[in-house]
């Protein structure tokens, strides 16, 4: 399975952009990069995903390097409510029961603290 | 619309008791996943269902853990003879796609989890 490496923790000032890096140097060509976050005592929340191109939605932007070995999640204007654990995941295709499904393997994630 | 729901949200069991945790996936989602999350760790995969078929149970830690989804919607995770090491948050997730292809995507949406404490 492709593994990801993220910093253990990061700080960001409220209103500034938060840039969360992730290394996935062993990613395969068909594997997507997913980002989830988990606020204390809640289930993981989907943020964004991408394959090759940069992606943007209402929550964040995802920048994937051309060689796909790393990516950066950008929260353009961080708020206190963005304080959470952010997980970068390479979704792997698993063959099971005669079909395939996408399996998420969570690491430790990055604890992002947004301060006033 | 309604997301994934789980019940109960909190469960306290005495060691040796059996517990049953329920997951209601998003309506129409054919894929359902269970995860276990120990304190301070990321979620770990337990098992995967496609409709009523349990296609992957490689993450179940022991034969005390059993999951079912008899009608392809609601799922139950049962833990028999609970042990203290079973204390964790149990998360359920669902996704919509029937088939997975190399360039297709199926985003998993998670419920709030059930926090199990075994005394």
């Amino acid at each position: 399975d492709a593994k990801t490496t993220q910093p253990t923790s990061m700080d960001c000032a409220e209103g500034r952009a938060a840039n969360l890096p992730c290394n996935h140097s062993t990613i395969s060509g068909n594997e997507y990069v997913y980002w989830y976050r988990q606020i204390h005592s809640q289930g993981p929340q989907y943020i964004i995903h991408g394959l090759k191109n940069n992606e943007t939605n209402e929550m964040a932007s995802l920048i994937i390097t051309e060689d796909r070995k790393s990516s950066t999640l950008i929260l353009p204007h961080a708020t206190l409510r963005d304080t959470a654990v952010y997980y970068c995941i390479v979704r792997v295709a698993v063959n099971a029961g005669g079909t395939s499904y996408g399996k998420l393997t969570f690491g430790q994630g990055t604890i992002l603290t947004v301060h006033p | 619309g309604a997301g994934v729901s789980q019940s109960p949200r909190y469960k306290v069991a005495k060691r040796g008791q059996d517990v049953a945790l329920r997951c209601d996936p998003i309506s129409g989602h054919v894929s359902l996943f269970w995860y276990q999350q120990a304190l301070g760790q990321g979620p770990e995969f337990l098992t995967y269902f496609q409709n009523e078929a349990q296609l992957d149970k490689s993450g179940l830690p022991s034969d005390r853990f059993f999951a079912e989804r008899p009608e392809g919607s609601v799922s139950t995770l049962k833990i028999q003879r609970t042990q203290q090491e079973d204390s964790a948050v149990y998360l359920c997730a669902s996704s919509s796609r029937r088939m997975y292809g190399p360039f297709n995507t199926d985003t998993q949406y998670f419920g709030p989890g059930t926090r199990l404490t075994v005394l």
Side-chain angles (χ1 to χ4, degrees):
Chain A
D1 292 0
K3 290 185 172 24
T4 61
T5 305
Q6 299 178 252
T8 302
S9 63
M10 294 183 65
D11 288 338
C12 179
E14 188 177 21
R16 305 296 294 269
N19 297 284
L20 289 86
C22 179
N23 288 323
H24 32 76
S25 59
T26 60
I27 193 170
S28 297
N30 297 339
E31 293 173 342
Y32 281 77
V33 178
Y34 272 74
W35 283 82
Y36 282 80
R37 73 180 182 184
Q38 190 170 25
I39 296 169
H40 184 62
S41 297
Q42 297 183 22
Q45 177 189 23
Y46 166 76
I47 302 173
I48 198 167
H49 70 276
L51 182 64
K52 296 180 183 178
N53 300 321
N54 298 338
E55 302 288 344
T56 296
N57 63 20
E58 64 278 5
M59 288 185 69
S61 295
L62 175 60
I63 309 298
I64 303 175
T65 58
E66 191 170 345
D67 63 8
R68 303 214 321 123
K69 292 185 177 181
S70 65
S71 61
T72 301
L73 178 75
I74 301 173
L75 307 179
H77 306 288
T79 71
L80 299 179
R81 289 176 296 179
D82 293 321
T83 293
V85 180
Y86 286 76
Y87 295 100
C88 170
I89 302 161
V90 172
R91 194 192 60 167
V92 175
V94 174
N95 294 318
T99 187
S100 294
Y101 74 93
K103 187 171 187 176
L104 301 179
T105 301
F106 289 78
Q108 299 277 36
T110 296
I111 301 171
L112 174 69
T113 303
V114 181
H115 51 85
Chain B
V4 178
S5 61
Q6 294 186 244
S7 60
R9 290 295 314 278
Y10 303 91
K11 177 69 178 177
V12 178
K14 292 182 180 179
R15 189 160 55 98
Q17 282 185 330
D18 298 348
V19 298
L21 313 179
R22 176 187 170 107
C23 172
D24 285 80
I26 293 172
S27 178
H29 277 194
V30 301
S31 294
L32 186 145
F33 304 80
W34 283 98
Y35 294 81
Q36 180 190 59
Q37 186 171 23
L39 189 63
Q41 305 295 316
E44 291 193 1
F45 170 83
L46 292 178
T47 188
Y48 164 64
F49 287 86
Q50 187 177 98
N51 295 306
E52 69 279 2
Q54 188 176 19
L55 299 184
D56 188 348
K57 49 185 180 181
S58 61
L60 295 176
S62 77
D63 58 8
R64 295 185 296 103
F65 286 71
F66 172 76
E68 60 183 6
R69 194 186 185 198
E71 297 179 358
S73 55
V74 172
S75 177
T76 304
L77 177 67
K78 298 179 179 178
I79 309 173
Q80 297 176 324
R81 305 180 303 281
T82 53
Q83 304 295 316
Q84 285 188 320
E85 62 263 28
D86 300 334
S87 295
V89 174
Y90 290 86
L91 295 159
C92 175
S94 70
S95 68
S96 62
R97 291 197 61 83
R98 296 177 180 273
M99 296 293 291
Y100 174 89
F103 297 102
N104 292 330
T105 63
D106 51 350
T107 298
Q108 294 183 30
Y109 295 93
F110 284 78
T114 294
R115 181 176 296 278
L116 172 65
T117 303
V118 181
L119 302 176

